[in-house]
């Protein structure tokens, strides 16, 4: 590890101008970042602490957090702590709720780490102003930090004295970390989520895959994994695992009606989750496909969540009337839901824009029906200019990808429509429904 300029040495050891992160120490260089799993877009880059801790008007409590809570020797501190293992001592500052964590969990913590006889932290989430996240038992962090958090409950705050054997070892990381450097960590466990087992279903043999009792437990693991992927916006992984869970459930042998009901309820939840993912990915057709799968299982008019997802997807497809019908039914089931209210408000705004656009275009288009095609009149020029302005509204509306056109267009009107589509690089599509042709403008990718 290279020496940083500005480092100063005192009698008690190395005092750093800038603190280091645990990742730096683990990797032996300044470019390594410790949170390899969490890819949140809002994550701040790590910054190092300056010697100047702030001005006179800085919040006093926050300043105190950045100072060690223990100024005597670590041997004396051990006498006041509970020994949790050969290399780990603990003292609870504030009790948490629930039970200590077990299993495959992604935790969010805040911490400050101190070496013996050093007032300032060598690593601090308080200074970085962002929590730290990692998966327990995954070797993402120092073993001592992992072991410490596994003794905690949610909302708990505690101090841990951790042996160098679970931190940086006998050698340390000179010159920043001295050999055999024990560490004092002040940790707060903010929250956790189950991350599940991504390979839970792939580990089953053919006999186990036929047993619903076995499969449903593994599906629960897969769903936890998919939810964790969704939260971190890794949508392809979430979709893949939801589909894997559905395929496995459908292959099970069901013993009785009770298992069938339970299976169907799980399938409804999985298809709904997929609709959410596809809507997030701007794939409304696939979202509608998931809704239709739910229709094969149950009456969706009794499920507000799936109706809401259908309404959002239909809105993006330009199916305003159908979208409104789905959203209004969802609102009947959950009248206080703010997401549904917001979706209806957005839909109404898009619908009004569409009606104004349609009126602007077709009032001019129908006026050109009798215009001779071999002449370019002033009226045609005005029409072209008006269409250019109106279609721009449609093109700039990111929430709308399809624009339905009036029914019963004549051949001459269709010719005009096709010319407009070519001019504005739109795709003209037609589908037959109830023996009627329905035309639409669609934005090209």
């Amino acid at each position: 590890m290279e020496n940083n300029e500005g480092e100063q040495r005192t009698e008690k050891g190395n005092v750093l101008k800038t603190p280091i992160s645990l990742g730096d120490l683990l990797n032996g260089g300044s470019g390594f970042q410790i949170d390899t799993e969490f890819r949140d877009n809002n994550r701040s880059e790590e910054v190092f602490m300056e010697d100047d801790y702030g001005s006179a008007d800085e919040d006093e409590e926050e300043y105190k957090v950045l100072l060690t809570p223990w100024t005597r020797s670590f041997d004396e501190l051990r006498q006041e702590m509970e020994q949790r293992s050969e290399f780990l001592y603990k003292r609870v500052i504030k009790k948490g709720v629930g039970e200590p964590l077990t299993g495959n969990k992604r935790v969010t913590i805040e911490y400050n780490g101190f070496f013996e006889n050093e007032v300032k932290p060598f690593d601090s989430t308080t200074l970085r102003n962002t929590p730290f996240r990692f998966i327990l038992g995954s070797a993402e962090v120092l073993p001592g930090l992992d072991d410490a958090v596994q003794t905690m409950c949610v909302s708990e705050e505690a101090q841990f004295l951790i042996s160098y054997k679970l931190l940086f070892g006998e050698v340390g990381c000179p010159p920043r970390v001295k050999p055999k450097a024990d560490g004092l960590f002040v940790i707060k466990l903010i929250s956790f989520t189950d991350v599940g087992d991504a390979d839970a279903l792939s580990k089953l043999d053919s006999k186990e895959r036929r047993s619903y009792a076995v499969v449903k437990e593994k599906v629960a693991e897969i769903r936890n994994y998919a939810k964790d992927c969704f939260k971190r916006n890794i949508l392809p992984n979430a979709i893949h695992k939801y589909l894997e869970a559905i395929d496995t459930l459908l292959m099970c042998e069901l013993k009785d009606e009770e298992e069938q009901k339970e299976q169907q309820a799980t399938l409804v939840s999985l298809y709904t989750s997929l609709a959410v993912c596809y809507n997030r990915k701007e794939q409304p057709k696939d979202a509608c496909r998931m809704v239709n799968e739910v229709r094969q299982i149950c009456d969706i008019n009794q499920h507000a969540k799936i109706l809401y997802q259908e309404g959002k997807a239909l809105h993006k497809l330009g199916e305003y009337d159908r979208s409104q019908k789905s959203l209004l039914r969802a609102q009947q089931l959950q009248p206080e839901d703010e997401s549904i209210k917001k979706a209806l408000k957005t839909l109404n705004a898009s619908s009004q824009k569409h009606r104004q656009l349609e009126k602007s275009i077709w009032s001019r288009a129908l006026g050109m029906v009798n215009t001779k095609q071999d002449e370019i009149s002033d009226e045609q020029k005005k029409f072209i200019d008006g269409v250019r302005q109106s279609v721009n509204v449609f093109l700039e509306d990111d929430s709308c990808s399809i624009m339905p056109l009036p029914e019963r267009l004549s051949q001459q009107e269709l010719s005009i429509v096709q010319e407009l589509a070519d001019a504005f690089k739109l795709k003209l599509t037609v589908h037959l429904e109830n023996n009627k042709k329905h035309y639409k403008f669609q934005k090209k990718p």
Side-chain angles (χ1 to χ4, degrees), residues 108-341:
T108 301
I109 65 172
E110 292 177 349
Y111 68 86
N112 291 294
F114 305 88
F115 290 130
E116 189 171 18
N117 297 324
E118 292 188 2
V119 176
K120 304 171 187 178
F122 66 86
D123 190 24
S124 169
T125 60
T126 304
L127 182 68
R128 291 198 295 273
N129 197 31
T130 182
F132 179 65
R133 298 170 177 86
F134 68 96
I135 297 177
L136 289 176
S138 62
E140 292 181 22
V141 297
L142 294 165
L145 184 59
D146 194 300
D147 289 353
V149 175
Q150 290 193 47
T151 71
M152 301 180 71
C153 306
V154 173
S155 297
E156 180 182 322
E157 297 180 39
Q159 297 173 355
F160 294 90
L161 192 52
I162 304 175
S163 167
Y164 67 89
K165 293 186 178 181
L166 297 180
L167 295 178
F168 310 109
E170 294 192 10
V171 177
C173 294
R176 291 185 170 181
V177 181
K178 294 180 293 184
K180 297 184 178 181
D182 295 340
L184 169 61
F185 283 80
V186 182
I187 305 173
K188 177 180 179 180
L189 176 56
I190 300 173
S191 63
F192 74 90
T193 56
D194 286 305
V195 297
D197 181 1
D199 301 319
L201 290 173
S202 62
K203 297 173 183 176
L204 299 179
D205 58 33
S206 58
K207 181 179 179 181
E208 290 172 326
R209 284 178 175 271
R210 291 194 297 271
S211 170
Y212 175 76
V214 173
V215 166
K216 72 174 184 179
E217 294 181 1
K218 303 303 179 182
V219 165
E221 289 288 325
I222 292 293
R223 290 177 70 182
N224 284 333
Y225 174 80
K227 288 176 185 177
D228 184 63
C229 290
F230 179 83
K231 289 178 181 178
R232 293 183 292 133
N233 207 33
I234 311 177
L235 298 177
N237 288 14
I239 290 171
H240 174 72
K241 289 302 174 181
Y242 281 132
L243 290 173
E244 181 184 5
I246 288 171
D247 289 342
T248 309
L249 275 175
L250 291 174
M251 295 297 292
C252 290
E253 296 176 357
L254 304 175
K255 294 190 302 183
D256 50 38
E257 186 177 348
E258 188 64 30
E259 283 194 348
Q260 182 181 27
K261 288 181 179 179
E262 191 174 300
Q263 179 214 43
Q264 289 180 343
T266 305
L267 287 171
V268 168
S269 296
L270 290 168
Y271 282 125
T272 303
S273 296
L274 279 167
V276 174
C277 290
Y278 284 128
N279 271 331
R280 175 77 70 86
K281 283 194 72 180
E282 301 294 333
Q283 295 177 218
K285 288 185 178 179
D286 289 317
C288 287
R289 186 163 53 85
M290 296 301 101
V291 175
N292 288 332
E293 292 290 347
V294 176
R295 278 196 173 90
Q296 304 301 316
I297 301 173
C298 65
D299 178 10
I300 71 167
N301 287 318
Q302 305 304 319
H303 294 268
K305 289 183 179 180
I306 196 67
L307 286 167
Y308 170 66
Q309 295 302 324
E310 181 180 47
K312 288 178 64 177
L314 290 172
H315 179 186
K316 293 174 184 177
L317 292 171
E319 300 284 353
Y320 299 127
D321 291 339
R322 291 177 61 197
S323 174
Q324 184 181 52
K325 182 179 178 181
S326 296
L327 290 174
L328 287 175
R329 177 55 185 161
Q331 190 176 52
Q332 287 179 348
L333 296 173
Q334 295 187 4
E336 301 304 320
D337 190 288
E338 292 298 326
S339 297
I340 298 174
K341 292 179 182 178

Side-chain angles (χ1 to χ4, degrees), residues 6 19 42 82 115 176 187 214 234 247 251 294 353 363 377 380 383 405 417 422:
N42 295 322
E82 175 190 358
F115 290 130
R176 291 185 170 181
I187 305 173
V214 173
I234 311 177
D247 289 342
M251 295 297 292
V294 176
K353 281 185 181 180
S363 63
S377 64
Q380 286 176 310
F383 168 72
L405 302 176
V417 167
D422 294 339

